[in-house]
Amino acid sequence: MELLIFYAFCVGAVVSALLMVTTKRPVRAAMSLVATMSFLAGLYALLNAHLIAVLQLIVYAGAIMVLFLFVIMLLNIEEKEGKLAKNVFFIQLAGTVVVGILMVAMVVVMNKIGAPVAGAAVDETFGTTKAVGWMLFTKYLLPFEIASVLLLAAIVGAVILAKRRIDNSKA
Amino acid sequence: MMEAAATSGAYWLRLIIGLVIVLIFSQLNALFLVWLERKVAGHIQVRLGPMEVGPHGLLQTIVDGIKLVGKELITPARADRILFVIAPVLVFTPVLVAFLVLPFGPDLIIRDMNVGLLLIFAFSTFSVLAILVGGWASNNKYALLGAIRSVAQAVAYEIPLLLSVMSVVLMVNSFRFSELVMAQQRVWFVFLQPVAALIYFICATAETNRAPFDIPEAESELVAGFHTEYSGMRFGLFFLAEYTNMFIVCAVATSLFFGGWHGPFGFSFKIPGVVWFLAKTYVLLYVLMWFRWTFPRVRFDQLMNFSWKVLIPLSMLNLVITALVLKLI
């Protein structure tokens, strides 16, 4: 049963990811992104990482909602819809090269890590709020702090950009 | 092997029975709430409300529901068809998920999850997303404006909502509903965290798009807001989801601040827990309706300022003070 659910989630994630990159309507793409993220959350839940699954939903559903708003407000939907850039070929070439490099890198890294631990026993507390919090603030403290500094920089940058625009409009 | 199959069979059986009960309950609850709302509105405005169908109009919503089912489903010619159809389904599904973790009684939780409380908030974002999708797909200016307002409001009020809930979570040290309720056996958290309870209730009113925070569907300016173009049962699903959402926020308030299935101060008066739980939830629902017919709608800038400049700092302060007191005790 669990295997069946796993495959259902996998197929769902891949299909919705494909839909996201192939559709020409920005809002549909955003919705497919939500679907992909939700299926990934389902996969996390299958791995017993309930907290991560729930956080995935909270963060991405909320973030994509804002993305959605940007699509509505910034793009002139009627005109931009379905209109591709002029040098399509180079864009496609660049995309293929980048994705290719990424894929090779992933395969190399995965080979280095070694064979996956098959069916390792998971202890009772795995994936609980306490366990994840504990790990974040002890073992993975440095990456956690770096990520938060990065996010802080992004927030400050956004505020400065927005503020400049408000000042300009007033002048 | 047989044993494992039997337990997993019992597990699935439990889940399916739970789902069926939840489906029936959410429909009946919505029917009752719509009737109650019309009655409350009527009596507040010194009239009787629906009286014709059934005793005191009790069957009025069933008749209305049948009318809704029979109506034609109209899809606007320039709408985004797929998204237009998905939106009403998307708005109702997450609502059902919340029932999985709500603690109706000591033995009446379908799944007592470790992240129960967070799960409800995770799925509540989806109903806002559905409103946005529905409003955008309708290809109608009023619907789109309503949808955008709804998102701005939801983003603003979700922050103080979560912060106020966090101060309760800090006290109990768990997101698990059964533990949250067990901690209130003697004293309800509304007495220990009055500020958090107040902030939660204000934000819950905003999250469910209820007056005085009902600008996403403000009739006098936006026709009907995000569901302007929806007809028949698609509109019905939005409506159903709204009332079920009201039930959920009140049920969460009951289990976080009003002791869940416990009676006041540890006295249960031999009344079963589920009765206590439902009674408290419906009293809160009544208060929510009372709000609607008492307060006028706020203006959009007032709404935003109130959240960002008053509620968020206040709930942040409340959280910090809670943490400090807990550390010092």
Side-chain angles (χ1 to χ4, degrees):
Chain A
M1 194 69 206
E2 214 172 86
L3 199 68
L4 215 67
I5 298 174
F6 171 75
Y7 280 124
F9 280 149
C10 282
V11 170
V14 171
V15 168
S16 45
L18 280 178
L19 274 178
M20 186 200 113
V21 289
T22 49
T23 184
K24 282 177 182 165
R25 301 186 186 196
V27 172
R28 279 195 191 172
M31 274 315 287
S32 312
L33 190 59
V34 176
T36 315
M37 293 305 174
S38 313
F39 283 122
L40 285 184
L43 287 180
Y44 290 145
L46 273 184
L47 287 172
N48 255 350
H50 292 143
L51 180 71
I52 306 286
V54 169
L55 288 183
Q56 167 98 353
L57 285 181
I58 292 181
V59 171
Y60 282 104
I64 287 168
M65 221 145 59
V66 177
L67 175 78
F68 223 129
L69 274 191
F70 276 126
V71 168
I72 292 171
M73 291 193 297
L74 298 183
L75 294 181
N76 200 344
I77 291 155
E78 295 297 323
E79 285 173 23
K80 287 275 166 66
E81 221 168 351
K83 203 169 155 191
L84 287 170
K86 274 173 199 159
N87 31 13
V88 183
F89 176 73
F90 287 106
I91 292 175
Q92 284 172 345
L93 188 72
T96 320
V97 169
V98 169
V99 171
I101 291 172
L102 254 179
M103 205 162 155
V104 170
M106 266 170 79
V107 169
V108 168
V109 168
M110 275 182 157
N111 276 337
K112 243 187 195 159
I113 289 171
V117 195
V122 172
D123 70 62
E124 192 77 351
T125 57
F126 177 81
T128 58
T129 323
K130 244 176 212 150
V132 174
W134 188 257
M135 293 249 264
L136 267 186
F137 287 109
T138 52
K139 198 175 168 191
Y140 299 105
L141 184 62
L142 188 67
F144 177 71
E145 289 296 333
I146 290 174
S148 49
V149 169
L150 203 67
L151 284 175
L152 185 68
I155 294 171
V156 172
V159 168
I160 286 175
L161 284 177
K163 197 170 174 297
R164 190 178 297 155
R165 226 166 86 183
I166 292 169
D167 289 346
N168 284 348
S169 65
K170 266 182 193 162
Chain B
M1 205 61 215
M2 273 303 283
E3 207 179 19
T7 49
S8 94
Y11 169 78
W12 288 106
L13 194 68
R14 191 183 153 91
L15 213 60
I16 289 167
I17 291 176
L19 262 178
V20 171
I21 292 176
V22 162
L23 271 175
I24 296 172
F25 177 77
S26 60
Q27 310 288 321
L28 286 180
N29 170 61
L31 286 178
F32 174 70
L33 284 184
V34 173
W35 172 79
L36 187 68
E37 171 122 71
R38 295 178 65 177
K39 272 300 193 194
V40 169
H43 282 283
I44 284 179
Q45 295 166 348
V46 204
R47 53 187 176 84
L48 289 174
M51 286 297 278
E52 294 295 324
V53 194
H56 282 265
L58 197 54
L59 302 176
Q60 181 67 45
T61 23
I62 297 179
V63 179
D64 288 346
I66 292 169
K67 186 200 78 175
L68 267 184
V69 173
K71 280 214 167 181
E72 186 190 357
L73 292 175
I74 301 168
T75 312
R78 299 198 56 196
D80 189 330
R81 261 168 198 286
I82 300 177
L83 292 181
F84 189 80
V85 176
I86 286 178
V89 182
L90 189 66
V91 78
F92 197 65
T93 339
V95 169
L96 290 178
V97 176
F99 279 96
L100 281 179
V101 289
L102 280 180
F104 285 94
D107 313 313
L108 272 173
I109 314 174
I110 300 178
R111 279 212 69 185
D112 189 19
M113 280 177 81
N114 178 265
V115 287
L117 186 59
L118 276 180
L119 190 82
I120 287 186
F121 292 119
F123 278 93
S124 73
T125 7
F126 275 85
S127 34
V128 188
L129 201 63
I131 287 176
L132 186 58
V133 170
W136 188 84
S138 308
N139 210 342
N140 172 312
K141 60 184 170 192
Y142 297 119
L144 185 59
L145 274 176
I148 291 178
R149 283 180 176 193
S150 166
V151 174
Q153 179 175 325
V155 168
Y157 279 84
E158 208 151 72
I159 303 167
L161 184 82
L162 282 170
L163 283 176
S164 66
V165 165
M166 275 311 145
S167 45
V168 173
V169 170
L170 266 188
M171 291 174 74
V172 184
N173 249 326
S174 172
F175 287 116
R176 196 187 287 272
F177 266 114
S178 59
E179 284 171 26
L180 283 165
V181 175
M182 283 315 280
Q184 303 177 65
Q185 201 156 14
R186 292 257 167 267
V187 186
W188 296 355
F189 281 149
V190 68
F191 300 115
L192 299 177
Q193 288 282 2
V195 182
L198 193 66
I199 292 174
Y200 175 86
F201 212 62
I202 293 172
C203 296
T205 319
E207 283 283 300
T208 46
N209 294 332
R210 299 275 307 171
F213 304 109
D214 63 341
I215 49 161
E217 42 189 304
E219 297 92 344
S220 43
E221 18 184 326
L222 287 182
V223 189
F226 63 89
H227 56 62
T228 306
E229 296 287 358
Y230 281 93
S231 62
M233 217 36 218
R234 284 188 195 144
F235 163 74
L237 273 178
F238 274 117
F239 212 57
L240 212 62
E242 188 183 321
Y243 278 93
T244 315
N245 252 331
M246 278 167 64
F247 179 84
I248 288 168
V249 294
C250 288
V252 171
T254 305
S255 37
L256 283 185
F257 297 108
F258 294 93
W261 64 71
H262 294 303
F265 305 105
F267 303 113
S268 69
F269 303 109
K270 295 252 187 308
I271 298 171
V274 62
V275 177
W276 273 117
F277 184 85
L278 287 178
K280 284 186 242 178
T281 306
Y282 280 108
V283 167
L284 287 180
L285 278 165
Y286 174 73
V287 175
L288 212 55
M289 289 173 183
W290 195 353
F291 279 175
R292 174 165 173 188
W293 301 104
T294 312
F295 296 120
R297 182 180 303 137
V298 293
R299 223 169 52 214
F300 196 79
D301 56 325
Q302 292 171 334
L303 178 96
M304 283 297 155
N305 280 342
F306 184 56
S307 174
W308 291 102
K309 292 183 183 164
V310 179
L311 286 182
I312 292 180
L314 204 63
S315 51
M316 201 84 99
L317 200 67
N318 188 49
L319 186 62
V320 170
I321 290 174
T322 309
L324 262 179
V325 170
L326 281 177
K327 193 75 197 166
L328 291 178
I329 288 173

